[in-house]
């Protein structure tokens, strides 16, 4: 057995169980971890010389939670398990922690760093919890965010500690707390300086030898009342309504958590824990949790750890960034870089423009200070790293340059030539573009091998994704440097091959183009918008178009037609958008688009019905919802077939984090796998017959269906 948890006993009979998983930067929970913890618990329970035990960590963090990377393969193997075997697997950690809290010896958790998920559940099962006041320490149960629930007693212990209503935000929203907030809420018993942590835990064990949890004591009552108490019952009624409104019935985990709270609160602890394990088993078999774990944790983590980084190239760290273009995008990128300690030269055509770009960073930082999420001293230090200017010569020692000027090939070419004249040979030049082919833009550079695309998403200081586009001549060293730069910014990269629209723009473009096309077909705009929301899209496609600007959409289409006269094919949305544009309905910024916008909110413009009369027979809402999801998934499959995507993980992470494809699906490729290739192809053909050939599945999907292949798992396409 691996020595994951070291056990030592001092002269006072206090055992110290130190979690320090060998070969891992973070302590994670897997079978080896549980075996080691079990051995430690049994030693404490069996040795009469041991009076009590402290559980702490030998790493900077306590325990990060379950090993979800390993869990990916476990989820894939769940399908064939008999129900009773699946239940026992899901209950294994819960039973282990229940053994710990009922073994007759008191346990204290000395929480020295981050404790999340199963790591925090270990703490909750201890009889006493003391946390260090170390900065960055957070405690929480975030399982709902990946489609699961805290299945090692988290739902049951939390409701018995905080009351049902107090536990709900931590369980249903994945809310986390700092050490001070945790003490205030009752999640921990004490907060002490780091140097006093073990001493404080030991003192409690010496002073308080009781090893009985409050919920195991006779006469225990849940704080605030049980689920049928008139003070609590409305929380379930209102909470269920709010959940359905917020999730559109697409997320099973919040409902399962509510059931754990409602049922478990009416049962003795041991039976309540079995209820929790039952619901966890239910969720692990659900394709939603499998998809969310795979994309939001496994694939995202792989991307951030360099999934596509070329091997054998020395690590790169950017010390000085040149940011050309000080609009909202440029100002946002400059802010993120400065927050990470990078010196930034922010260039624009004139000094006033450059100053405005820095002003954007100043406004964001001011809000953070006002909300108490930063200090004025930190904000001032960040702003001091941003130098607004018009002088390209300041970039002569830049490590990295990002250009974010107007989406016009000629303008970008002129900027590239000015940069080539001053940049050092080692500097990478990245274009922030959403659609223009990188290989084409690189023709303006004297060193195309050092040219790459970095597509940031707006607002750049908040959006986590960066789409990395490798041009035909982009070198391995340039790709590695770009990925290291993104890691330095603490953002998530996906890597795609060069093609007009790359992946994310063509993906969301398929959604918007088809939705606007539905308006021309006479499908009710309200039906389109509502079906999109029911499908899980954060905003309806017509509202998105207004937000992005109809004017911008029309000009982008005209630019594409001008740049690529031989290959550009106008989308189904072009006539509708042009008609709105010609009428001066340019989008939200002008107060008129598909919606009328004013201080009171927005309402769909009734004049659309005069231009595009509604069909007498509207399509079934189910078919519209399917159409919205399928048109995007089919486009993702085309991008894979054409070699734009390197792996399905890039498509799934890009779709969910970049353009708001519903998280419960895990992204288009998890979605296709969850439905099953044959069933997906059949339904796509049905939709294509109903609505048009753009919904027809590509040959790649037909071949995969015929060969029994999937995008992930044991039958994954190679």
């Amino acid at each position: 057995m691996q020595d994951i948890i070291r056990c030592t006993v001092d002269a006072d009979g206090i055992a110290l169980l130190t979690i320090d998983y060998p070969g891992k930067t973070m302590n994670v929970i897997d079978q080896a971890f549980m075996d080691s913890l079990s051995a430690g618990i049994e030693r404490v329970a069996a040795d009469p010389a041991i009076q009590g035990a402290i559980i702490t960590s030998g790493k900077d963090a306590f325990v990060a939670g379950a090993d979800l990377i390993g869990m990916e393969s476990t989820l894939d193997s769940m399908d064939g398990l008999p129900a009773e075997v699946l239940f026992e697997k899901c209950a294994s950690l819960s039973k282990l922690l229940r053994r710990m809290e009922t073994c007759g010896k008191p346990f204290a958790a000395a929480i020295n760093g981050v404790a999340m998920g199963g790591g925090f559940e270990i703490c909750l099962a201890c009889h006493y919890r003391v946390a260090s006041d170390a900065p960055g320490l957070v405690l929480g149960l975030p399982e709902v965010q990946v489609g699961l629930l805290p299945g090692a007693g988290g739902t049951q212990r939390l409701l018995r500690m905080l009351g049902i209503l107090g536990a709900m935000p931590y369980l249903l929203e994945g809310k986390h707390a700092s050490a001070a907030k945790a003490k205030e809420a009752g999640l921990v018993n004490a907060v002490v300086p780091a140097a006093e942590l073990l001493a404080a835990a030991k003192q409690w064990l010496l002073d308080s030898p009781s090893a009985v949890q409050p919920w195991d004591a006779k006469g225990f009552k849940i704080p605030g009342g049980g689920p049928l108490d008139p003070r609590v019952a409305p929380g379930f009624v209102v909470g269920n309504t709010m959940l359905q409104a917020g999730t559109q019935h697409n997320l099973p985990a919040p409902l399962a958590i509510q059931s754990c709270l409602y049922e478990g609160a009416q049962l003795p602890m041991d039976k309540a824990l079995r209820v929790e394990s039952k619901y966890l088993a239910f969720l692990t078999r659900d394709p939603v949790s499998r998809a969310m774990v795979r994309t939001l944790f496994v694939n995202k983590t792989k991307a951030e750890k360099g999934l596509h980084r070329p091997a054998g190239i020395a690590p790169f760290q950017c010390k000085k960034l040149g940011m050309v273009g000080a609009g909202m995008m440029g100002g946002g990128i400059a802010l993120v870089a400065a927050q990470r300690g990078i010196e930034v030269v922010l260039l624009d055509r004139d000094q006033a423009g450059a100053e405005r770009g820095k002003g954007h960073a100043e406004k964001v930082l001011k809000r953070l200070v006002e909300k108490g999420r930063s200090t004025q001293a930190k904000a001032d230090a960040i702003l001091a790293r941003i130098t607004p200017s018009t002088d390209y010569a300041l970039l002569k020692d830049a490590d990295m340059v990002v250009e974010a000027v107007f989406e016009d090939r000629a303008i970008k070419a002129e900027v590239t030539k000015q940069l080539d004249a001053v940049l050092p040979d080692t500097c990478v030049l990245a274009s922030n573009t959403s659609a223009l082919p990188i290989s084409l833009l690189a023709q303006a550079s004297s060193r195309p091998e050092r040219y790459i695309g970095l597509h940031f998403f707006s607002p750049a200081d908040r959006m986590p994704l960066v789409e990395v586009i490798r041009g035909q001549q982009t070198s391995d060293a340039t790709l590695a440097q770009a990925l290291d730069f993104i890691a330095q910014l603490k953002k998530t990269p996906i890597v795609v091959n060069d093609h007009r629209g790359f992946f994310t723009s063509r993906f969301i473009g398929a959604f918007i183009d088809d939705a606007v096309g539905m308006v021309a077909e006479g499908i009710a705009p309200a039906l389109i918008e509502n079906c999109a929301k029911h499908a899980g899209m954060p905003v309806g496609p017509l509202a998105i178009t207004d937000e992005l600007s109809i004017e911008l959409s029309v000009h982008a289409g005209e630019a594409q037609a001008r740049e690529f006269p031989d290959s550009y094919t106008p989308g189904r949305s072009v006539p509708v958008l042009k008609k709105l544009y010609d009428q001066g309905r340019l989008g939200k910024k002008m107060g008129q688009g598909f919606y009328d916008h004013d201080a009171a909110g927005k309402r769909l413009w009734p004049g659309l019905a005069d231009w595009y009369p509604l069909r007498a027979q509207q399509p079934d809402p189910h078919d519209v919802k399917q159409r919205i999801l399928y048109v995007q998934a089919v486009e993702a499959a085309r991008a894979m077939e054409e070699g734009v995507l390197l792996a399905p993980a890039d498509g799934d992470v890009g779709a969910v984090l970049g353009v708001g494809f519903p998280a419960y699906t895990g992204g288009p490729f998890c979605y296709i796998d969850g439905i099953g290739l044959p069933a997906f192809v059949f339904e796509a053909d049905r939709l294509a017959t109903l609505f048009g050939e753009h919904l027809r599945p590509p040959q790649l999907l037909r071949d995969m269906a015929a060969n029994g292949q999937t995008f992930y798992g044991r039958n994954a396409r190679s």
Side-chain angles (χ1 to χ4, degrees):
M1 186 190 303
Q2 275 187 293
D3 187 19
I4 296 170
I5 302 177
R6 299 187 302 272
C7 181
T8 59
V9 183
D10 68 12
D12 294 314
I14 302 300
L16 180 64
L17 303 181
T18 305
I19 307 167
D20 197 354
Y21 207 127
K24 293 185 184 290
T25 57
M26 298 279 278
N27 292 320
V28 293
I29 299 171
D30 57 12
Q31 190 58 52
F33 176 99
M34 288 194 289
D35 291 343
S36 189
L37 179 58
S38 178
I41 292 168
E42 294 309 323
R43 179 179 171 185
V44 170
D47 189 341
I50 295 177
Q51 303 304 307
I54 300 169
I55 299 182
T56 193
S57 168
K59 301 186 188 296
D60 291 338
F62 186 78
V63 178
D67 179 13
L68 291 181
I69 296 291
M71 192 177 178
E72 180 185 26
S73 58
T74 304
L75 287 173
D76 288 329
S77 65
M78 291 289 191
D79 286 333
L81 290 178
E84 59 273 15
V85 176
L86 176 62
F87 175 85
E88 289 303 320
K89 277 184 171 288
C90 290
S92 55
L93 181 58
S94 180
K95 289 182 176 180
L96 177 58
L97 297 185
R98 185 61 173 156
R99 167 63 179 153
M100 182 177 76
E101 74 176 356
T102 59
C103 75
K105 300 283 180 72
F107 278 74
I111 310 167
N112 62 309
V114 173
M116 299 294 280
F120 187 44
E121 287 181 288
I122 294 172
C123 301
L124 293 176
C126 289
H127 304 87
Y128 186 75
R129 290 161 297 283
V130 56
S132 161
D133 63 0
L137 185 150
V138 289
L139 310 172
L141 298 169
E143 285 87 347
V144 70
Q145 295 170 1
V146 289
L148 295 171
L149 59 79
T155 66
Q156 300 311 305
R157 291 189 179 93
L158 210 61
L159 77 86
R160 285 162 173 79
M161 288 168 57
L162 307 184
I164 293 170
L165 298 181
M168 279 182 171
Y170 294 97
L171 297 169
L172 293 170
E173 301 167 22
K175 178 183 174 182
H176 56 262
S178 65
K181 290 287 186 185
K183 170 68 169 65
E184 186 181 319
L187 295 170
V188 299
N189 302 95
V191 177
V192 300
E196 301 172 19
L197 185 65
L198 293 179
K202 179 177 177 177
Q203 192 60 51
W204 180 85
L205 288 168
L206 294 174
D207 293 345
S208 311
S210 174
V212 178
Q213 293 279 31
W215 41 86
D216 289 323
K218 188 175 180 180
F220 171 77
K221 292 185 178 179
I222 295 170
L228 303 179
D229 189 294
R231 295 168 296 174
V232 177
F236 283 100
V237 176
V238 175
N240 188 55
T241 304
M242 291 175 66
L243 273 183
Q244 301 302 349
T247 67
Q248 305 294 339
H249 301 266
N250 292 320
L251 294 172
L255 290 176
I257 290 169
Q258 276 212 331
S259 296
C260 286
L261 292 171
Y262 186 82
E263 296 174 35
Q266 301 179 69
L267 297 169
M269 189 62 168
D270 288 302
K271 288 190 175 179
L273 291 173
R274 288 183 62 82
V275 166
E276 181 186 79
S277 297
K278 175 190 75 172
Y279 280 107
L280 178 61
F282 163 76
L283 290 177
T284 58
R285 273 208 170 142
D286 193 289
V288 170
S289 66
R290 200 168 313 179
M292 292 180 76
V293 167
R294 196 186 301 276
T295 294
L296 297 177
F297 188 88
V298 178
N299 288 344
K300 181 175 179 288
T301 301
K302 286 178 180 177
E304 290 167 352
K305 290 189 174 180
L307 174 64
H308 298 302
R309 190 187 189 280
I313 295 169
F316 162 79
Q317 185 173 36
C318 180
K319 295 186 175 120
K320 184 173 182 179
L321 171 70
M323 185 66 239
V324 184
M328 184 173 288
M329 178 63 75
I333 297 170
L335 169 59
V336 174
Q339 286 173 318
R340 305 297 174 226
I342 300 170
E343 297 295 327
V344 182
V345 176
L346 182 58
L347 296 184
D348 209 89
R349 288 174 297 183
D350 54 52
Q351 189 64 29
E355 296 285 355
R356 278 195 299 274
K358 183 172 181 177
H360 168 74
E362 195 168 2
K363 286 177 187 174
V364 172
L365 291 169
K366 183 180 179 183
R367 286 197 296 270
L368 292 176
V369 172
E370 289 171 349
K371 292 178 180 177
R373 292 166 57 189
S374 184
T375 64
Q376 191 59 52
K378 286 181 182 176
D380 291 343
I382 291 166
L383 286 171
R385 295 187 194 108
I386 302 174
T387 303
S389 181
T390 61
D391 187 0
Y392 279 75
L394 294 177
L395 304 181
K396 65 180 186 297
D397 57 347
D399 303 304
M400 188 95 193
V401 170
V402 177
E403 160 270 298
V405 300
F406 192 68
E407 286 279 275
D408 182 286
R409 187 179 164 194
I411 294 172
K412 287 182 180 289
E414 179 58 35
V415 168
T416 298
K417 290 187 172 95
Q418 291 185 70
L419 289 168
D420 273 359
V422 298
L423 295 182
D425 292 340
T426 54
C427 184
V428 165
L429 172 53
S431 178
N432 177 72
T433 175
S434 60
L436 294 173
I438 294 303
S439 303
L440 201 61
L441 295 177
Q443 291 176 8
S445 176
S446 58
R447 31 180 223 139
E449 73 284 354
R450 301 295 283 169
Y451 199 97
I452 198 166
L454 293 184
H455 176 201
F456 288 80
F457 293 76
S458 186
D461 50 295
R462 294 207 303 271
M463 292 292 283
L465 190 79
V466 181
E467 185 175 25
V468 182
I469 307 99
R470 183 169 191 169
Q472 292 172 7
Q473 293 179 269
T474 303
S475 68
D476 281 354
T478 297
L479 176 59
Q481 188 167 325
L483 290 172
D484 288 350
F485 172 63
I486 293 166
Q488 200 175 341
L489 298 184
K490 299 189 183 302
K491 291 191 176 288
T492 304
I494 63 168
V495 181
V496 303
N497 286 322
D498 197 19
H499 188 280
R500 181 156 51 88
F502 317 132
F503 171 67
T504 55
S505 292
R506 66 186 282 184
F507 181 77
I508 192 171
F511 165 51
I512 292 174
D513 187 63
D514 188 47
V516 174
M518 287 191 223
V519 174
E521 293 171 25
I523 297 175
L527 179 63
I528 300 166
E529 296 287 85
N530 286 329
C531 285
K533 291 174 189 172
H534 279 268
M537 301 301 296
V539 183
L542 306 182
I544 289 176
T545 307
D546 272 10
E547 289 279 351
L548 294 176
S549 161
I550 289 167
E551 180 181 30
L552 188 63
S553 298
V554 169
H555 287 165
E558 290 171 348
Q560 292 285 314
R562 191 167 56 249
E563 292 283 357
F564 312 104
D566 298 330
S567 60
Y568 174 73
T569 303
R572 303 169 68 253
S573 63
V574 168
V576 181
L577 295 175
K578 188 67 168 64
K579 200 165 185 177
L580 287 165
Y581 176 80
D582 290 342
Q583 290 293 314
R585 300 191 69 87
L586 307 183
K588 184 179 178 181
K589 67 177 183 178
M590 299 299 291
Q592 294 182 321
F594 286 102
Y595 286 82
D596 286 323
H597 303 264
D598 57 32
K602 65 180 190 289
R603 297 159 305 285
L604 281 162
W605 179 46
L608 278 174
D610 297 330
W611 288 355
Y612 302 106
L614 300 184
R615 290 183 185 181
Q617 183 67 42
Q618 291 289 307
D620 188 310
H622 170 76
D623 288 343
V624 177
K625 177 180 167 181
Q626 290 289 88
R627 177 175 176 175
I628 283 164
L629 293 172
Y630 270 66
V631 76
Q632 296 176 83
V634 165
E635 187 62 30
R638 290 195 188 105
M640 181 68 75
E641 185 177 62
E642 293 166 14
V644 175
L645 288 169
L646 278 62
D650 294 291
D652 284 340
V653 172
V656 173
L657 295 187
V659 293
F661 194 67
Y664 75 87
T665 67
F669 298 107
C670 280
Y671 179 64
I672 294 170
D673 272 3
I675 292 168
L677 267 294
F680 182 89
V681 168
F682 181 86
E683 176 69 353
D685 277 330
R686 183 185 76 85
L687 293 169
T689 301
L690 275 177
F691 299 120
E693 289 302 304
H694 59 294
L695 286 149
R696 194 74 66 187
Q699 191 61 41
L700 170 69
L701 296 185
R702 297 189 189 281
D703 292 343
M704 288 177 67
N707 295 327
Q709 293 177 308
T710 54
F711 287 105
Y712 296 103
R714 287 170 294 184
N715 301 316
R717 167 181 172 267
S718 57

